[in-house]
Amino acid sequence: MNKTETPDIINSSVYDVEKIRSDFPILQTKVHGKPLVYLDNAATSQKPISVIMKAQEYYSSMNSNIHRGVHALSQVSTEAYEGARIKIKKFINALGKNEIIFTRGTTESINLVAQSYGRMNFNEGDEVIISQMEHHSNIVPWQMICDEKGAKLKVIPINDNGEIIFEEYEKLINNRTKFVSIVYVSNSLGTVNPVKQIIDLAHQNNIPVLVDAAQAVNHLPIDVQDLHCDFLAFSGHKIYGPTGIGVLYGKVNLLDAMPPYQGGGDMISSVTFEKTIYNELPYKFEAGTPNIAGAIGLGEAIDYVQKIGIDNINKHEKELLDYATAAVAEIPSLKIIGTAKNKVSVLSFVLDDIHPHDIGTMLDFEGVAIRTGHHCTQPVMDRFGIPATSRASFAMYNTKEEVDVLIKGIKKIIEVFG
Ligand code: 7TS
C-alpha cells in the first residue's frame, strides 16, 4: 500500500474485526490444541505485524545509538526515535515534544514524578490524595516518598459499584494537600473515573494532578490540554506496542522546575567534577541509552491505532463488554465485581465457591487466556472482601464468538464443580 492510500478499515463504515485479527500473528495460534482466545489484554495487549516488523527493521537496518553519532546510522535512528516522540505528542495533544519523556512504562513514569516532584515539593504533614482503586504502581511510589518526607497518603473511597465517591474526595482536599494522583480507568474494575472533574477541583485549590492512563490510552481518546492534567503516564505494551517503553507527559513549566530522576549520559549538557549542567527537556529525564527500538515500535503502534480510530475501537469494545455482561447475568452463581455506570473493557467476576485460580486454569485448557488474582490492586479486593477475581479484558481484535467461548467455558466449570 502506498502512503496516500487509505486502508480498507477506514473506508468501511463497518468495523472489520477479521481484517484487524489478520494483522496479529499470535491470534492465529492455538493453545492446548484450541484456538487462542486472548482475553488478558489489561495485562498486556498483542502486537500487530507492523509493530513486530518495526523492531526487526530497526535492528536490521538502523541499529545505532541516538543523539551522539555524526555517522549516518546514528542520524537515522535519532530521527526515528524523535519521530516517535512527535507521534506521541500529537496522539495525546501535548503542547510540545519536550513534554514527552520516554520511560520504561507507567510504573517508572509515576516513580519519576514521585521521586523528582515529590522530593522537591513535599514536606512533613503534607498530604497526597490517591483513590482506593489504584494499581500498586500508583500507591507504593507515593507511600515511599511520603514515608521519606513525613507526608501522609489520603485515599478516596469507592462505592459498591466500584466508583469514586466524589463528595469524599471533596472532603479530603485541604490546605495540606500537595498532590493528587488518580487512575483514569481501573484495571481490576473497568471503572472510568471522572478525571476532568477531579482535576478541575484540584486546580481550584492549586494542586497538581497526575493521571495514570495505563488502561485508558488504548480505549479512550486522550487530550492532555483538554484534561488540563499536569502529568499523565502510560505504557507502550498496553496500546499494542512493545514492552519496556512508556511515556510520562508533563506540563513544561513543572518538568522544567523538577530535578532529574536519574543521572548519567544524555541527561547532561556538560560535566566537570565540580559541576554538572543538566540537559534541556525532555533529555534531562532520559539518562542512559533508552529503549530505542521500543520507542520506534510504540510510534508504529500509535499509527496502527490511529488508522483504526480510537473511537471505533471504543465502540467495538463497548459492544463486547455489553454482550459479555448480559451473558454472564444469566449465570446465578456469578457476581460481577465492578458495576460502574461508566466502564470499559474489563469484566471482573467471582463464582460462588470456585477459586479464581481454578477458573483461570480450566479456561486455559479451553484456549481462553484470562487473568486471575488481585491484579496488583489488593486494596480493591479488600474493599469487596474477596481475595481475587477472574478478569476478562477486551481489545480491538476480540469478537463476540470469543465471548461465547468464554461463557461456555465458565458454564462448564460450574458443571464440573457441581
Ligand atoms: N496502572 C494501571 C492502571 C495498570 O493497569 C498497570 C498495569 C500499571 C499502572 C502498571 O503498568 P506497567 O506497564 O508499568 O506494569 N496493569 C496490569 C494488569 O492489570 N495486569 O498486569 C498488569
Side-chain angles (χ1 to χ4, degrees):
M1 188 172 71
N2 78 40
K3 285 228 159 87
T4 53
E5 259 179 87
T6 328
D8 298 347
I9 25 192
I10 305 186
N11 289 338
S12 163
S13 57
V14 182
Y15 187 87
D16 191 347
V17 72
E18 288 310 322
K19 163 79 182 74
I20 293 170
R21 290 179 70 77
S22 70
D23 290 334
F24 290 77
I26 210 166
L27 299 180
Q28 330 306 325
T29 59
K30 290 191 169 176
V31 168
H32 303 302
K34 308 268 174 62
L36 170 67
V37 174
Y38 187 76
L39 300 177
D40 193 17
N41 295 288
T44 197
S45 59
Q46 299 301 346
K47 319 302 169 203
I49 190 72
S50 56
V51 169
I52 299 167
M53 293 308 291
K54 203 72 197 173
Q56 189 180 339
E57 185 192 330
Y58 169 74
Y59 285 116
S60 54
S61 68
M62 286 187 241
N63 182 47
S64 176
N65 214 330
I66 52 164
H67 301 148
R68 20 200 123 191
V70 290
H71 61 79
L73 276 186
S74 175
Q75 288 179 19
V76 170
S77 64
T78 302
E79 243 169 62
Y81 180 80
E82 292 302 329
R85 198 191 305 276
I86 290 167
K87 285 181 190 178
I88 292 156
K89 171 212 168 266
K90 289 185 182 151
F91 185 59
I92 63 170
N93 195 30
L95 261 179
K97 81 180 191 91
N98 51 352
E99 296 181 318
I100 306 297
I101 294 156
F102 283 120
T103 63
R104 280 194 298 124
T106 309
T107 304
E108 191 179 43
S109 298
I110 298 173
N111 275 278
L112 190 165
V113 178
Q115 289 299 319
S116 172
Y117 184 91
R119 174 158 299 122
M120 188 173 74
N121 291 293
F122 300 170
N123 292 303
E124 180 130 15
D126 286 346
E127 294 177 359
V128 173
I129 298 179
I130 59 168
S131 84
Q132 205 174 8
M133 69 171 89
E134 301 307 321
H135 186 277
H136 295 165
S137 64
N138 200 26
I139 302 174
V140 186
W142 301 112
Q143 276 174 331
M144 288 163 65
I145 193 70
C146 283
D147 279 354
E148 195 181 309
K149 292 286 181 173
K152 286 199 191 83
L153 203 58
K154 294 283 167 176
V155 181
I156 314 167
I158 58 176
N159 65 23
D160 291 342
N161 295 324
E163 295 161 320
I164 272 172
I165 306 173
F166 203 85
E167 306 77 65
E168 297 295 329
Y169 168 53
E170 285 174 323
K171 282 189 215 156
L172 284 178
I173 292 208
N174 62 52
N175 58 12
R176 291 183 299 278
T177 313
K178 286 287 142 63
F179 204 86
V180 175
S181 195
I182 191 81
V183 69
Y184 199 153
V185 173
S186 155
N187 66 316
S188 52
L189 302 165
T191 310
V192 181
N193 281 319
V195 283
K196 219 173 155 176
Q197 278 163 267
I198 291 169
I199 293 164
D200 281 352
L201 183 61
H203 283 180
Q204 283 163 31
N205 295 275
N206 292 322
I207 303 160
V209 182
L210 181 148
V211 174
D212 171 356
Q215 302 287 347
V217 72
N218 48 343
H219 304 300
L220 305 170
I222 303 262
D223 180 333
V224 290
Q225 291 188 63
D226 180 54
L227 285 176
H228 284 296
C229 55
D230 300 280
F231 299 99
L232 182 131
F234 69 92
S235 302
H237 70 100
K238 297 201 199 275
I239 183 165
Y240 311 102
T243 53
I245 188 78
V247 171
L248 172 68
Y249 156 81
K251 280 185 184 160
V252 70
N253 59 326
L254 291 171
L255 291 175
D256 247 342
M258 283 159 56
Y261 168 55
Q262 293 177 331
D266 236 21
M267 54 73 73
I268 52 87
S269 64
S270 79
V271 176
T272 65
F273 288 120
E274 289 69 40
K275 186 172 173 58
T276 288
I277 301 185
Y278 302 134
N279 205 341
E280 59 192 19
L281 289 175
Y283 313 110
K284 182 172 84 173
F285 292 108
E286 292 181 5
T289 302
N291 183 353
I292 306 167
I296 298 170
L298 174 55
E300 195 67 27
I302 284 172
D303 283 347
Y304 188 86
V305 165
Q306 286 187 312
K307 258 190 331 197
I308 293 168
I310 198 84
D311 290 324
N312 297 331
I313 293 170
N314 180 280
K315 186 165 166 270
H316 175 75
E317 290 169 345
K318 182 162 180 12
E319 275 169 27
L320 290 178
L321 182 62
D322 288 349
Y323 182 74
T325 305
V328 296
E330 318 261 296
I331 305 173
S333 60
L334 184 147
K335 183 171 176 233
I336 297 177
I337 304 295
T339 47
K341 274 187 214 87
N342 196 0
K343 242 187 106 168
V344 283
S345 173
V346 169
L347 185 78
S348 246
F349 61 92
V350 288
L351 283 179
D352 284 351
D353 303 326
I354 309 177
H355 196 279
H357 291 296
D358 292 328
I359 300 170
T361 308
M362 290 184 72
L363 284 174
D364 182 52
F365 283 116
E366 306 296 325
V368 181
I370 61 158
R371 183 169 172 197
T372 60
H374 53 61
H375 317 295
C376 299
T377 56
Q378 280 185 357
V380 171
M381 302 299 123
D382 293 344
R383 165 64 179 80
F384 287 93
I386 49 177
T389 74
S390 301
R391 179 189 71 183
S393 50
F394 307 110
M396 64 157 99
Y397 40 65
N398 290 123
T399 64
K400 287 187 178 164
E401 291 72 29
E402 289 183 309
V403 175
D404 292 339
V405 177
L406 168 73
I407 305 295
K408 210 172 139 198
I410 295 172
K411 287 183 175 161
K412 194 167 156 186
I413 295 165
I414 295 169
E415 252 175 60
V416 170
F417 279 83

